[in-house]
Structures are given as structure tokens and as C-alpha cells.
Amino acid sequence: YKSLFRQESAEKLSLISNRKKHRSIFVIQNFHHFEEIYVKLSNKIFKFDGFFLIVLTKGGINEIENIFQLLWKIQIFNVNIVFRNQNGRVSVMTFIPFNHAFNGSKCSDTTPVTINEFQNGKFKNKIEDFFADKMKDLSNCQIRVAVSGNDKPRVYATYLPNGTIEFHGRDIKIIKTLSDKLNFRINFTYMGDIGFFHENGTSEGPLRTLLD
């Protein structure tokens, strides 16, 4: 890919042009240097669903997981880290937030995973697979969907005698179709009137449990 800009230091992050960066490369020494960049990461400068490559020159595996944890907090997931491991090999690591490698699945997983190694002057795996598609299967993890109530014809909220709510309508069908396709569970969160937000589908009034 053609490089669109060059960044000399974290201090200049806010001074780069108005165009959002879709592909970015950071060369850092350790986790402390990454923190200097992290506090200035802004979706006004970078596309958080873009691609990020970090070259870690002196850090270790523990620092890599700390970096992944911070990036996942702001929903940056297309990120790879290149570093030299204890055996002297240059490895490419990433994280799989919805990971099938565990019993059934593991959600919000930031464990570093080796996806490539540089050996004998070339990468072991195809460079075309450098950034994996991490969102095609969400491993039956739970995704929160905010619902504000009746918004016909998109959403119909039916209040039942037992204090629960059933949601129907065009948008609910779309969400359920996406749930089946991408393999995730839905957690409907009722937002109620303007200014009110109820966590995990509960509220203080007669509304108790949300049904999908």
C-alpha cells in the first residue's frame, strides 16, 4: 500500500491533515511509547475500523497483550504487531476478539496469537492473509442492541401483563437475521424515555425482562 503520510512522533498526531487515516504504521520501542500514542488516538484522525501495523522494537509478549487490551477498548481490532521473540525470530501477532480456540468460545479475547513468522528472508504464510477477517463469526458472543420503544413500523414494543416486553418489527427482523448470519446472541437494552438508560434490559418500574 502507498504511504499517505509520515509521522515522526506522538506529539504531532494532532497536526496531521484533515483526511482520516485508513492504514497506519507505528514504530515503537515499548508499551510506554505506545501509551503516548494511545492517548492521542482519535476517530477524527484515524478510521478505527481501518488497519494498524505496530513494529515493536524492544518490548515483550506481556506488553503486546497490554497494547491489544487498550486497542480493543476503543474497538480497534484490525491490528498486527511485529516483534522479535526470545528465539530471535520475527513474529507477527494479533488478537481474535471472538475466539473459537477455547471451549465453545471466548468473548473479548485479547490474548496474542502468532499468525506469521519471517523465516529465510520471507514470511512463512501468505502476505495476502496478513489481516484476518475477525468479524465474520462472533462466536456466539452477546451483542447489546439498544431499543427505545415503539418506532413503527421499524420497532413494535408489546407490553405484556407480567411486566415483560416483546419487540417485533422490521428492524428487529434485520437484527435477528444478522444474529443468525454472524453467530451472536442479542441482549436488548431498553432505553425508555429520553434521558433514561436501563442496563442489561432492566428498569426500576414495571418493566423487568426483555424478550427477543
Side-chain angles (χ1 to χ4, degrees):
Y1 297 115
K2 183 179 179 181
S3 178
L4 299 179
F5 71 99
R6 181 175 178 177
Q7 185 64 44
E8 294 292 347
S9 65
E11 287 75 13
K12 296 182 181 179
L13 275 175
S14 59
L15 304 180
I16 302 183
S17 71
N18 310 340
R19 186 175 179 181
K20 284 189 177 183
K21 310 305 180 293
H22 186 65
R23 301 180 183 93
S24 304
I25 300 175
F26 298 109
V27 180
I28 61 175
Q29 291 186 10
N30 50 39
F31 179 69
H32 173 69
H33 288 166
F34 171 76
E35 287 181 306
E36 294 178 353
I37 294 174
Y38 180 79
V39 296
K40 293 201 172 185
L41 286 179
S42 167
N43 56 14
K44 294 181 180 179
I45 302 175
F46 300 93
K47 290 186 176 181
F48 281 11
D49 60 346
F51 299 91
F52 296 80
L53 179 64
I54 299 174
V55 180
L56 185 63
T57 60
K58 294 183 179 180
I61 190 69
N62 293 334
E63 292 182 290
I64 291 177
E65 181 161 14
N66 291 335
I67 291 173
F68 288 156
Q69 287 175 349
L70 287 180
L71 291 174
W72 180 236
K73 285 183 178 180
I74 57 175
Q75 303 296 286
I76 291 179
F77 54 89
N78 288 320
V79 54
N80 292 338
I81 293 181
V82 179
F83 86 115
R84 186 185 297 273
N85 61 29
Q86 294 179 343
N87 297 324
R89 293 182 178 179
V90 175
S91 300
V92 181
M93 309 203 76
T94 192
F95 70 99
I96 312 297
F98 307 105
N99 200 338
H100 282 286
F102 293 82
N103 294 331
S105 65
K106 185 174 182 181
C107 306
S108 295
D109 185 16
T110 55
T111 304
V113 177
T114 301
I115 57 172
N116 214 334
E117 287 187 343
F118 193 77
Q119 299 177 358
N120 301 321
K122 62 181 180 179
F123 283 105
K124 182 178 179 180
N125 299 324
K126 293 181 180 179
I127 197 67
E128 291 84 357
D129 301 328
F130 208 67
F131 288 96
D133 185 355
K134 301 177 181 180
M135 295 296 161
K136 64 181 179 180
D137 188 338
L138 303 192
S139 194
N140 199 36
C141 293
Q142 188 177 89
I143 302 298
R144 177 182 296 177
V145 177
V147 182
S148 60
N150 283 310
D151 188 18
K152 303 174 182 178
R154 293 175 286 271
V155 177
Y156 294 86
T158 303
Y159 296 78
L160 303 180
N162 64 357
T164 62
I165 311 173
E166 285 185 345
F167 290 110
H168 308 278
R170 184 182 65 193
D171 286 4
I172 301 302
K173 289 181 180 179
I174 293 174
I175 292 169
K176 288 184 176 181
T177 300
L178 288 173
S179 172
D180 293 337
K181 177 66 176 178
L182 299 178
N183 187 26
F184 65 85
R185 292 178 290 114
I186 304 172
N187 172 18
F188 282 115
T189 298
Y190 181 63
M191 297 186 67
D193 298 327
I194 295 176
F196 290 90
F197 186 81
H198 305 291
E199 293 282 348
N200 300 323
T202 63
S203 70
E204 296 178 357
L207 310 178
R208 293 191 294 273
T209 305
L210 299 183
L211 303 179
D212 62 345

